[in-house]
Amino acid sequence: MRTLLFNGRIYSPWARDASALLISGSEVAWLGDDVSAATMSAETTVDLDGALVIPAFVDAHFHTTDTGLALSGLELRSAGSLAQALRTVERAARSSGGRPLLGSGWDETRWPEGRAPTAAELDRASYGGVVYLARTDAHSAVASSALLASVPGIAGMDGYSADGRLTKAAHHAARAVARSAITAGQRAELQRIALRHAASLGVAAVHEMAGPEISSAEDLAGLLALVADGSAPEPYPQVFGYWGELRGARTAAELGAIGAGGDLFCDGSIGSHTAGLLQPYADLGDLPAGEAGCGYLRYDTAELAEHLVECTEAGLQGGFHAIGDAATDQVVAAMRMAAERLGSRLSTAGHRIEHAELITDVAALAGAGLIVSAQPAFDATWGGDHGMYAQRLGVERARRLNPLAALAAAGAPLAFGADSPVTPVDPWGAVRAAVHPSNPAHALSPRAALTAHTRGGWRAARAESDGSGVLTPGSPASYAVFEAGPLGVGAADERLSQWSTDERSGVPGLPDLAPGRDLPRCLRTVLRGRHIYDSGDLT
């Protein structure tokens, strides 16, 4: 089957002024102008009516089931106060029929009350029901008394608080019990909801960050089976599975994951005061004797190094969640230790670091051979001199977070994702956040940011060898069509060479992503020639 798309704007380094695209089966066959396209034969023709065609987005850090829950269940991101959040819980309890309530998205730093709900408040709002509410960063939660009572030994676990606020081991245990209430059928439907939503935004592939503490083996196995079912009536985005368990390479391979990493937590998050820092948090005040106020590191460096060796020898990607500077330093040190045993095999294995927000030595991290899976929306949501990051760390440290430009300049491969449901799936919003960060020194060019969210995602999964992530003849026909405004070529810094923004440079144009501008709207998403989303607007 040959499909000819014409009268559009095709983003391709191979043909800057292309307005037409010929697809043959699952591959790009040709790009060129409309005059030449008129001589082409195809079974199907599509008038793009000026629409923009780009390589489809890849979300390099995704939680499918939890995204489905956020889209269809108790979502508290929009709650403007603690009181409003509790009213939302009460409404959900009234219609739940006594079923457990699983919610997410609350952020006490945006509420006038300035604090999290308590177990007692959840008890009243839910009429004594089972309630689990994850904080927006998913690294802490509040639980009702009924849920706490159902978790064996939770009062003795690290991170337990009698008021229902949970972090660390206590949080992981409560989350596992809460998620056990989701049936296999419900889980599959939540996954379908999440994948459909991603496809509707131009995403053709996601990296699922599974693990024994963030989801379950059954969750990952079910998701991979869902997208692998060739007889299914509905195609979905491609899913690359990661299993975040220390020394879990064998389990990862048995599950069909491509890596034993992802959300393998070296530390926690800044918002929950659990990211591992070299210096204390700025907003904790006086601490009890013996508490440093620097978050935590979960593992010894030698354990991380051994994990990297195990993954490399198994032919799998390894990787770690590391946000604070103590954690990112530790991952770099673990790479060095593993390299002493493996040599150059380690640097070519595609090992990853997720988030990497606060970095002591960018050159050292890039030189370690790590792929950086970053979330520009974190800065857009919590960055700036008056944002949550500045509250937790102080303005000086907050300005050092997410140094995307320095990472790119040092040669670190970048891949972007949302970490949904921590931040919503919004690929163009992520590109804009990378181009217009709270600290302009960290800005990427639009082209570099788009590459990180397209080709970078395929590369991060070691799946770029077939040309995925770029539209050239012979590459996979994985693309997205967008309704977009005028195109231009921008640089990250106006002091850079003007040649990069001149039409004669041959650099293809992109929409204006300045804050306040409307972002492109997805009309169609295609994965290797198969439509996985169609708005119905194209003819």
Side-chain angles (χ1 to χ4, degrees):
M1 171 70 73
R2 287 159 62 93
T3 300
L4 179 65
L5 299 89
F6 66 97
N7 188 27
R9 296 169 292 174
I10 316 299
Y11 182 85
S12 171
W14 190 81
R16 182 192 188 276
D17 296 318
S19 57
L21 179 70
L22 180 66
I23 306 300
S24 180
S26 62
E27 291 186 352
V28 175
W30 171 86
L31 302 93
D33 58 37
D34 285 348
V35 174
S36 299
T39 68
M40 301 283 176
S41 62
E43 289 83 356
T44 303
T45 58
V46 178
D47 184 351
L48 293 169
D49 193 24
L52 171 68
V53 181
I54 66 166
F57 287 109
V58 179
D59 192 300
H61 195 113
F62 197 71
H63 299 284
T64 308
T65 301
D66 285 345
T67 297
L69 276 169
L71 290 169
S72 61
L74 184 55
E75 206 286 313
L76 299 174
R77 186 177 287 109
S78 59
S81 67
L82 170 60
Q84 184 180 355
L86 291 172
R87 289 194 296 270
T88 302
V89 171
E90 184 175 8
R91 286 195 298 271
R94 288 176 176 173
S95 60
S96 70
R99 294 185 299 275
L101 298 178
L102 281 69
S104 64
W106 60 269
D107 183 352
E108 80 286 1
T109 67
R110 295 177 178 270
W111 290 346
E113 297 90 343
R115 65 173 180 85
T118 65
E121 288 170 330
L122 294 185
D123 295 344
R124 289 192 292 272
S126 66
Y127 307 98
V130 172
V131 183
Y132 167 84
L133 300 181
R135 192 181 183 278
T136 186
D137 56 19
H139 284 275
S140 63
V142 288
S144 67
S145 298
L147 176 56
L148 295 174
S150 67
V151 183
I154 193 170
M157 294 181 186
D158 194 18
Y160 171 79
S161 176
D163 66 0
R165 184 73 182 266
L166 307 173
T167 61
K168 303 178 183 177
H171 175 221
H172 298 317
R175 176 164 52 195
V177 170
R179 287 176 63 99
S180 68
I182 303 173
T183 68
Q186 290 169 336
R187 184 172 61 232
E189 180 56 25
L190 292 170
Q191 292 170 346
R192 284 190 283 266
I193 289 169
L195 293 174
R196 289 180 195 127
H197 179 67
S200 75
L201 296 167
V203 175
V206 301
H207 297 189
E208 170 65 16
M209 297 294 152
E213 295 170 333
I214 195 73
S215 58
S216 69
E218 294 77 17
D219 187 285
L220 178 58
L223 174 62
L224 295 177
L226 175 68
V227 298
D229 184 4
S231 64
E234 179 179 6
Y236 299 104
Q238 184 169 352
V239 176
F240 295 100
Y242 289 84
W243 180 251
E245 180 180 14
L246 191 69
R247 306 298 301 277
R250 175 176 294 181
T251 302
E254 291 172 349
L255 289 169
I258 65 171
D263 270 347
L264 202 174
F265 300 117
C266 290
D267 65 348
S269 72
I270 294 170
S272 291
H273 293 107
T274 52
L277 304 179
L278 296 175
Q279 299 297 324
Y281 283 88
D283 63 341
L284 287 179
D286 295 330
L287 296 169
E291 291 190 21
C294 293
Y296 75 110
L297 298 178
R298 295 191 66 196
Y299 304 111
D300 292 332
T301 305
E303 293 180 285
L304 304 186
E306 193 61 38
H307 178 79
L308 290 166
V309 170
E310 178 184 275
C311 290
T312 304
E313 293 180 338
L316 295 173
Q317 290 179 275
F320 308 100
H321 161 117
I323 285 181
D325 47 5
T328 55
D329 278 3
Q330 185 186 42
V331 172
V332 173
M335 287 287 287
R336 288 173 175 160
M337 291 178 65
E340 292 175 359
R341 293 171 56 182
L342 298 175
S344 61
R345 291 171 58 199
L346 186 76
S347 62
T348 59
H351 299 314
R352 300 170 50 143
I353 184 168
E354 308 296 318
H355 313 308
E357 292 198 82
L358 189 57
I359 303 169
T360 303
D361 187 339
V362 168
L365 191 149
L370 289 161
I371 296 168
V372 178
S373 170
Q375 292 69 45
F378 285 11
D379 176 68
T381 305
W382 299 302
D385 290 355
H386 303 286
M388 182 272 288
Y389 285 155
Q391 294 176 33
R392 293 286 191 264
L393 305 177
V395 171
E396 188 279 327
R397 267 191 300 179
R399 288 176 178 172
R400 290 170 44 206
L401 290 167
N402 299 296
L404 299 180
L407 285 165
L414 296 176
F416 289 166
D419 196 5
S420 178
V422 174
T423 60
V425 185
D426 181 12
W428 279 113
V431 173
R432 173 156 64 190
V435 175
H436 299 283
S438 62
N439 182 348
H442 299 328
L444 294 179
S445 69
R447 178 173 49 159
L450 182 69
T451 298
H453 219 334
T454 52
R455 192 174 188 180
W458 297 106
R459 180 178 184 180
R462 299 194 295 183
E464 84 284 8
S465 61
D466 61 358
S468 289
V470 62
L471 298 178
T472 58
S475 66
S478 298
Y479 61 90
V481 183
F482 290 91
E483 180 182 81
L487 305 186
V489 179
D493 190 321
E494 63 183 10
R495 294 170 298 179
L496 297 178
S497 168
Q498 293 300 307
W499 179 252
S500 65
T501 61
D502 189 284
E503 287 190 4
R504 293 169 294 171
S505 68
V507 176
L510 287 170
D512 184 353
L513 300 175
R517 297 281 190 179
D518 290 338
L519 291 174
R521 180 175 71 91
C522 186
L523 304 177
R524 178 174 293 172
T525 308
V526 179
L527 173 63
R528 293 187 175 86
R530 295 189 69 190
H531 294 190
I532 60 173
Y533 169 74
D534 200 321
S535 69
D537 293 313
L538 293 174
T539 58

